[in-house]
Amino acid sequence: MNRSFPRLEVALDEATVDHDFFFRDDDAGWADDDLLELCNRFVARAPIDLAVIPEAVTPCLASHLIDHRAQLGFHQHGFAHHNHESAGKKCEFGAHRAEEDVVSDLGRGRARLVELFGYRLDPIFTPPWNRCSHATIGALQSIGIEVLSRDRGSLPKSPDGIIELPVAVDWIRWRDSIDEAIAGSIAIGEPTGVMLHHEVMDQSDLEKIDDLLELLVNHPRAKVRSMMQLVRGRHGG
């Protein structure tokens, strides 16, 4: 029995069909050493997708990730990860921003990541704090974004042409009951996306990541995919 994820192991044992998992680590561009340590846990074991902050990531980090790390996916995480709301929940691309500013930041961020990652950049957008305005979603296609990744059940809904690939489990929020949270997500029947934040994860978290990967990569009912593998598998292309 897996020492950190016994309930998940039971859920997988009882599953009658294969279940897909993906990992999305947010805030690439901050805390580079912590990011690389997390990525090392995945190398040669399973894919992980990095949501990259365009204004924060350096050419040095981008080059290192491309040249020396396997099974990494890269996509856009906002622009500068700055809160632009004067009240309420934090949001970089919220309803109170002028639409032209939203479109400008989206395009500038996309252009910078294309410059740094080239063909390795995936057409995915993860908004900081997992929330964004209707105008933001409407502008994504104009800069070549096909996929929006937020929390499961987020509003507003995406229009036709934008694929939703939500995360189901926030590792930091559920760290004290992470086994139960991931095990419970299997019953929904959709891919289980696990959201990580390397800059606030400690050694205990990393050890649990090791345990989780050991279970998932060896269990016949668990399939760890990249985000684009899931998109292509479910929507073609």
Side-chain angles (χ1 to χ4, degrees):
M1 183 67 65
N2 188 279
R3 62 179 182 178
S4 298
F5 294 90
R7 295 185 183 181
L8 175 58
E9 186 169 356
V10 170
L12 289 170
D13 288 342
E14 295 176 348
T16 58
V17 296
D18 293 349
H19 190 80
D20 290 323
F21 296 82
F22 71 91
F23 291 88
R24 194 193 83 198
D25 178 58
D26 290 2
D27 304 340
W30 292 348
D32 292 356
D33 289 344
D34 294 327
L35 171 63
L36 296 176
E37 184 172 4
L38 175 63
C39 290
N40 282 335
R41 306 284 170 153
F42 284 81
V43 169
R45 300 172 75 183
I48 181 172
D49 286 271
L50 305 184
V52 184
I53 304 170
E55 198 173 60
V57 65
T58 64
C60 180
L61 175 61
S63 178
H64 189 65
L65 291 170
I66 290 171
D67 292 343
H68 302 291
R69 297 293 187 272
Q71 300 199 74
L72 297 184
F74 309 105
H75 67 268
Q76 185 172 350
H77 190 35
F79 174 62
H81 209 303
H82 288 167
N83 176 35
H84 289 275
E85 298 298 293
S86 59
K89 295 181 178 180
K90 293 180 179 180
C91 191
E92 183 173 22
F93 289 89
H96 291 94
R97 291 196 73 190
E99 187 170 348
E100 58 267 27
D101 293 336
V102 166
V103 172
S104 175
D105 277 1
L106 287 174
R108 290 162 62 202
R110 182 74 175 168
R112 175 164 173 76
L113 295 184
V114 168
E115 179 183 350
L116 292 175
F117 293 97
Y119 75 93
R120 295 285 304 274
L121 183 67
D122 292 323
I124 302 171
F125 182 77
T126 290
W129 299 287
N130 284 283
R131 57 182 71 99
C132 61
S133 67
H134 184 270
T136 302
I137 300 174
L140 293 179
Q141 286 179 296
S142 69
I143 62 167
I145 297 293
E146 302 171 8
V147 182
L148 177 62
S149 185
R150 300 176 290 173
D151 290 324
R152 182 174 283 165
S154 291
L155 296 173
K157 296 283 190 180
S158 292
D160 292 342
I162 294 292
I163 298 165
E164 292 266 6
L165 188 58
V167 292
V169 178
D170 180 340
W171 184 283
I172 301 304
R173 179 182 177 186
W174 296 104
R175 67 181 356 150
D176 293 331
S177 55
I178 193 67
D179 181 26
E180 295 89 334
I182 299 178
S185 73
I186 292 179
I188 298 174
E190 295 295 322
T192 295
V194 180
M195 178 174 61
L196 308 174
H197 284 88
H198 60 271
E199 73 274 21
V200 292
M201 296 175 72
D202 58 23
Q203 192 62 34
S204 175
D205 292 315
L206 295 176
E207 291 172 359
K208 284 187 177 180
I209 286 288
D210 283 336
D211 289 344
L212 178 56
L213 290 176
E214 180 181 2
L215 173 59
L216 296 183
V217 301
N218 291 300
H219 199 286
R221 283 303 188 193
K223 308 298 177 186
V224 185
R225 314 286 194 190
S226 72
M227 294 174 73
M228 286 308 299
Q229 284 175 330
L230 287 171
V231 168
R232 294 185 181 112
R234 288 172 171 253
H235 300 275

